[in-house]
Amino acid sequence: MEPLAVGEAVKRVIVALDPARRGDVDRLLDMAKQVCGVGAGIKVGLPMLALGGSEALAEAARLCKGGGLRVLDLKLADIGYIMRLAAESLSRGFDAAIAHAFVGYEGGLVELKKALEDLGARLVLVVSMSHPGSGEVLDPCLDKLLAVARRVEPWGVVAPATRPEVVARVRETLPTTVIMSPGVGAQGGRPGDAICLGGADYEIVGRMVASSPDPVSALRGVAEYIAARCPEKLLHSSTGNGPS
Ligand code: BMP
């Protein structure tokens, strides 16, 4: 039997399924089925939409039903009306959808949040990103982006596993908001950096798991690493709002 902390850690890892070519779509949909019952859930976005169409998005959501969080990552950034149209046509079957905080509240995120609520989905806002370029515009504006998030009151926010100190700042400002952190593995973040050092609820892992010949073992490997680093953080969710 796996130790308790590993069982908890695996429920904190969301797998990003991003096909690089059309031939990857079916493999990743099959992977959705495999990893969903094991990890926290899946995230799909523009690569899946571009290469597999809206049917592939819907299929990913269907295959993962009952097996964890299904996050639609289109990183919406438009006027509220357009974001609502996109949400209405693409986010059915998903539990949460990601948009950029920089769009702002009035005429923007307030409309998207309402549209998602009507569809039974939750809003997640990007307040900082995992790539170095986040330091050019987003991070100097972090306080403003967090102020937008405080006003919108999304269910979750995205903050970078590659910079756990940013995650910690986000956690301090938004103590009860779910934090999802990408950037683990392929982008250099170590499993556990965001959860153990920053207080994130979930780490998002893409290629490190999805490129593995045995994705379920790779997912468990990530969880073991997290569990070894901070078992105490896993037994009590920081927000009481995290994995259920
Ligand atoms: P990978 O682990 O293969 O680098 O994938 C990371 C995933 O997280 C991708 O789906 C990407 O869109 C997403 N992501 C990110 O890498 N950085 C961010 O700041 C926000 C993201 O959503």
Side-chain angles (χ1 to χ4, degrees):
M1 221 177 72
E2 68 187 2
L4 191 58
V6 178
E8 295 293 327
V10 83
K11 292 293 176 201
R12 304 288 200 100
V13 182
I14 295 171
V15 179
L17 299 171
D18 296 314
R21 54 194 70 81
R22 203 173 288 271
D24 290 340
V25 169
D26 286 346
R27 186 179 61 82
L28 290 180
L29 289 177
D30 192 53
M31 198 178 293
K33 235 184 326 187
Q34 294 175 45
V35 297
C36 263
V38 179
I42 56 161
K43 181 179 85 67
V44 289
L46 286 174
M48 188 63 89
L49 176 62
L51 294 169
S54 56
E55 303 77 17
L57 291 184
E59 183 66 356
R62 194 187 64 75
L63 289 168
C64 198
K65 192 169 182 204
L69 275 173
R70 297 156 303 168
V71 181
L72 177 63
D73 180 11
L74 301 176
K75 290 204 183 60
L76 294 171
D78 212 317
I79 58 170
Y81 170 69
I82 298 295
M83 293 196 290
R84 176 165 65 77
L85 294 184
E88 284 172 355
S89 56
L90 294 170
S91 69
R92 276 175 215 284
F94 286 91
D95 302 297
I98 299 180
H100 269 292
F102 66 69
V103 170
Y105 182 89
E106 290 293 348
L109 295 168
V110 65
E111 287 183 31
L112 176 62
K113 187 181 175 193
K114 168 80 173 58
L116 288 171
E117 275 168 8
D118 291 346
L119 293 161
R122 295 173 279 197
L123 177 62
V124 177
L125 292 181
V126 177
V127 294
S128 176
M129 293 188 72
S130 58
H131 65 307
S134 186
E136 295 167 21
V137 174
L138 289 181
D139 288 1
C141 298
L142 183 60
D143 286 339
K144 286 186 178 167
L145 296 169
L146 289 171
V148 170
R150 270 204 305 267
R151 188 165 180 208
V152 175
E153 296 184 332
W155 173 73
V157 292
V158 174
T162 46
R163 294 194 306 292
E165 66 286 0
V166 174
V167 180
R169 233 178 104 196
V170 174
R171 169 53 69 227
E172 216 179 299
T173 313
L174 303 171
T176 59
T177 306
V178 165
I179 301 178
M180 313 185 159
S181 293
V184 176
Q187 297 179 54
R190 285 186 310 153
D193 282 351
I195 290 175
C196 303
L197 309 178
D201 298 282
Y202 298 102
E203 294 187 5
I204 297 172
V205 185
R207 288 161 284 179
M208 194 183 197
V209 166
S211 303
S212 162
D214 184 349
V216 171
S217 296
L219 172 57
R220 287 197 196 284
V222 170
E224 279 165 22
Y225 200 94
I226 298 172
R229 287 183 74 184
C230 61
E232 73 291 347
K233 290 238 172 163
L234 299 166
L235 299 175
H236 309 284
S237 163
S238 53
T239 58
N241 208 359
S244 53

